[in-house]
């Protein structure tokens, strides 16, 4: 079993930045691919970013590419999402997720590919 706890959300003005963190506990962090998803009110949960357990491969949704950066520190069992140039449409609850990876280079973009989820952290971007 893996437990995930997100932090770092909050209220920020458009154009600002936030850094989300997701701390994992339970089974070893190594060998697990990680992802960030978000869900805005009245909308379905959508993919934001993913990273392989080696950290060597990353993938982003088109809507955040060039503005968000996913990274991980396996020694700290933590994955991060640096969000820059935030827009009001980035307002959502952000969730991190993880699952055992098939290889060190694998990453996943669909929610059904993740077995473990955090409770979410609210990000609100004002215009």
């Amino acid at each position: 079993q893996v437990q995930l706890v997100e932090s770092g959300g909050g209220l920020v003005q458009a154009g600002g930045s936030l850094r989300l963190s997701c701390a994992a506990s339970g089974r070893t962090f190594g060998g697990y691919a990680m992802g960030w998803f978000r869900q805005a009110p009245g909308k379905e949960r959508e993919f934001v970013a993913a990273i392989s357990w080696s950290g060597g491969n990353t993938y982003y949704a088109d809507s955040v590419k060039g503005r968000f950066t996913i990274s991980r520190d396996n020694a700290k069992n933590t994955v991060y999402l640096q969000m820059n140039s935030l827009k009001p449409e980035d307002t959502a609850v952000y969730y991190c997720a993880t699952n055992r990876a098939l290889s060190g280079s694998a990453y996943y973009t669909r929610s059904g590919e993740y077995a473990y989820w955090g409770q979410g952290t609210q990000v609100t971007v004002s215009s």
Side-chain angles (χ1 to χ4, degrees):
Q1 194 77 3
V2 177
Q3 293 80 41
L4 302 174
V5 178
E6 301 98 334
S7 61
L11 174 64
V12 64
Q13 288 188 333
S17 298
L18 282 174
R19 187 195 195 201
L20 304 184
S21 299
C22 174
S25 61
R27 293 188 175 180
T28 178
F29 196 54
Y32 282 77
M34 302 291 298
W36 286 97
F37 290 76
R38 66 186 182 186
Q39 187 167 19
K43 295 187 176 181
E44 294 186 352
R45 188 172 298 187
E46 65 174 0
F47 168 78
V48 175
I51 188 167
S52 61
W53 77 259
S54 70
N57 289 337
T58 58
Y59 189 80
Y60 299 91
D62 288 342
S63 59
V64 306
K65 199 172 297 181
R67 300 188 297 123
F68 291 11
T69 302
I70 188 171
S71 62
R72 65 190 294 162
D73 185 340
N74 287 345
K76 296 182 178 180
N77 290 347
T78 301
V79 65
Y80 305 97
L81 186 68
Q82 178 67 44
M83 305 186 295
N84 298 329
S85 302
L86 283 162
K87 305 175 181 179
E89 51 264 43
D90 293 319
T91 295
V93 177
Y94 283 71
Y95 300 88
C96 67
T98 188
N99 202 10
R100 190 78 178 176
L102 294 178
S103 71
S105 60
Y107 57 84
Y108 307 103
T109 63
R110 293 177 290 185
S111 59
E113 294 176 305
Y114 290 93
Y116 305 101
W117 292 81
Q119 83 290 346
T121 185
Q122 176 70 47
V123 171
T124 303
V125 184
S126 63
S127 57

